Amino acid sequence: MAETLNPEALSSLSPEYLAEDYHEIWWRWNVALTVIVTVIYILFVISRLFFARYNGWEVWTLYPLSYVSCIGLCILYFLAVARGGAGKHLVYWEIHNPKIIPIYLKLQTASEFLYMLDVSLPKVCIIILYLRIFTERWIRLITKIVLGIVISNYVAIGIIAVLVVCRPFAYKWDKTIDGHCSDLMNSYRYTSLPNIITDVAILILPFPMLYKLQVSPARKFGIFLTLLTGSLGLITAIARFVEYLKPDWMTDPMYAGNKPIILGIIEAHTYFICSCLPEMRPLARGIYRKFKPHKVKEFPYNSGPSFRPVGSNSYGSSVGNIHGNHKTSISALRGQHDDYSKGFEIPAVIQLDKTVHVNYSQKRALPRDMV
């Protein structure tokens, strides 16, 4: 970052260059992401509160914390635009109001803490969902290892690295004191790599479970799509990493950092949205059941309660404990019919019986919200 101004260099700057401003782009992205994550979180709460059969502890702890963290990141960048001069060239503020620059750098430092929290909490939520689904011991072990890596990555990069990248810590925004900073661009690049690696791990973890799952191919594909949404943050993580591979923009962070910083905001919010989508399946299922067309079945025979076999449902099928050997039957009972006038004889009872063995195992059973 430039610390002094060369008068000759200043004279070569055109008014058009100094007038360049990207603050509206920052503002629009922040407004859009604030609205989107708020709507998604409201739908998430509705889904879990009114439609889900079971809610884990993370639904009322980690998810609210993740949402607040996302909104906090948006607030920081709102302040970066309104109070920190984000969007204009650094040299513009060095000429007109140098006091703005430390404000921006402080807000940027605070955003680095929240960014890592924003990308870590949703991954923890997704992995907890996996642990609730997976039954194979070795898959659960690998899942727990990935969980440990995510948490360790947050502590190492999201807390320790941010605190020690500049010594003393205040030198990051106050260049009037003695100090030095490590290569900030490399620190940002290396931050993205662990995120990409853990995203890939989260993406491939469900495959062994889905391969062995004893459901129809269509339902298996639907479950895969549901779990796949939890890894869509991989796309934004790669885009952000590619942007950080470009030449150093830290010499003009308030202007040249426009695209990578906005990608970072999008990435953080994408993780939260993706972590909510699998948990919104109960809401989607409830809406589908409410609005799907219902097929009306007509039964020409009288199948009132007085004709139902004991222990049977309205269709004559035996109900009760699903374990062991069972006798199931389908009955058609005599009643009024128009064909009587034509001389057709209708039997009093037609009953088909078959004894079947039901072997139910909870192995590889998914939570009801997933199926």
Side-chain angles (χ1 to χ4, degrees):
M1 182 181 301
E3 299 180 17
T4 60
L5 292 174
N6 187 336
E8 295 181 0
L10 282 178
S11 62
S12 64
L13 299 177
S14 65
E16 291 78 11
Y17 175 84
L18 294 175
E20 289 177 341
D21 192 350
Y22 276 136
H23 83 275
E24 289 187 1
I25 298 177
W26 291 53
W27 193 269
R28 289 171 185 172
W29 273 109
N30 269 292
V31 171
L33 290 171
T34 301
V35 173
I36 291 172
V37 298
T38 300
V39 171
I40 291 294
Y41 185 63
I42 290 173
L43 294 176
F44 167 83
V45 173
I46 293 173
S47 176
R48 306 314 303 178
L49 195 61
F50 298 105
F51 293 90
R53 297 183 178 92
Y54 170 80
N55 290 309
W57 61 271
E58 74 281 359
V59 170
W60 311 120
T61 53
L62 297 184
Y63 280 96
L65 180 59
S66 183
Y67 170 72
V68 171
S69 180
C70 286
I71 296 301
L73 189 63
C74 284
I75 292 173
L76 285 177
Y77 282 110
F78 277 128
L79 293 174
V81 172
R83 301 290 304 276
K88 285 186 173 292
H89 287 286
L90 178 70
V91 67
Y92 173 89
W93 295 114
E94 289 180 323
I95 296 172
H96 294 89
N97 188 2
K99 295 181 179 179
I100 288 287
I101 299 174
I103 296 176
Y104 171 81
L105 295 176
K106 289 178 181 179
L107 292 170
Q108 183 189 36
T109 302
S111 70
E112 293 172 6
F113 287 103
L114 280 182
Y115 164 78
M116 284 304 301
L117 186 63
D118 284 341
V119 300
S120 299
L121 278 177
K123 292 183 182 182
V124 172
C125 294
I126 294 171
I127 293 173
I128 291 175
L129 174 64
Y130 285 180
L131 289 174
R132 190 167 290 123
I133 296 173
F134 299 160
T135 58
E136 298 285 346
R137 179 176 298 180
W138 67 274
I139 299 180
R140 288 180 59 85
L141 177 60
I142 296 175
T143 305
K144 290 178 181 179
I145 292 174
V146 175
L147 176 61
I149 293 174
V150 170
I151 296 175
S152 301
N153 180 57
Y154 167 69
V155 174
I157 297 179
I159 299 177
I160 298 176
V162 176
L163 291 174
V164 303
V165 69
C166 289
R167 298 182 183 179
F169 183 62
Y171 183 74
K172 193 168 185 180
W173 61 82
D174 186 1
K175 304 305 179 183
T176 62
I177 63 177
D178 292 331
H180 71 280
C181 289
S182 302
D183 191 331
L184 293 176
M185 283 304 300
N186 280 335
S187 68
Y188 293 143
R189 291 171 185 140
Y190 296 147
T191 297
S192 299
L193 280 176
N195 287 337
I196 294 175
I197 294 172
T198 53
D199 281 347
V200 173
I202 291 173
L203 176 64
I204 65 177
L205 276 174
F207 277 95
M209 181 273 298
L210 287 174
Y211 178 76
K212 297 181 179 180
L213 196 61
Q214 311 249 341
V215 295
S216 66
R219 177 157 293 187
K220 185 180 294 188
F221 181 71
I223 296 171
F224 170 74
L225 289 181
T226 301
L227 298 177
L228 179 64
T229 57
S231 298
L232 293 180
L234 175 63
I235 299 174
T236 53
I238 293 175
R240 179 177 180 268
F241 176 69
V242 171
E243 194 63 32
Y244 277 105
L245 292 177
K246 295 181 178 180
D248 189 355
W249 47 262
M250 287 303 296
T251 55
D252 192 6
M254 303 168 77
Y255 178 85
N258 170 64
K259 188 174 181 179
I261 290 176
I262 289 177
L263 281 174
I265 303 172
I266 296 173
E267 178 191 6
H269 288 73
T270 301
Y271 280 118
F272 174 75
I273 293 170
C274 292
S275 69
C276 290
L277 291 180
E279 299 285 5
M280 290 166 58
R281 186 178 175 88
L283 175 61
R285 185 172 59 244
I287 294 175
Y288 171 75
R289 288 177 176 174
K290 182 174 182 180
F291 292 102
K292 74 174 181 179
H294 296 279
K295 294 182 180 179
V296 179
K297 295 183 179 180
E298 296 182 0
F299 298 93
Y301 303 105
N302 185 358
S303 56
S306 59
F307 294 97
R308 294 178 187 171
V310 177
S312 301
N313 59 17
S314 59
Y315 301 103
S317 299
S318 177
V319 296
N321 187 357
I322 64 174
H323 297 277
N325 294 313
H326 299 279
K327 186 175 183 180
T328 179
S329 63
I330 301 176
S331 304
L333 305 179
R334 180 174 180 175
Q336 300 295 328
H337 198 275
D338 293 340
D339 290 339
Y340 278 63
S341 60
K342 299 178 182 179
F344 290 98
E345 181 179 356
I346 300 180
V349 176
I350 300 176
Q351 182 165 319
L352 302 176
D353 294 335
K354 184 175 180 61
T355 300
V356 297
H357 178 74
V358 179
N359 183 16
Y360 175 78
S361 174
Q362 291 186 344
K363 227 174 172 185
R364 294 191 297 275
L366 288 173
R368 292 187 175 183
D369 293 344
M370 296 302 298
V371 298

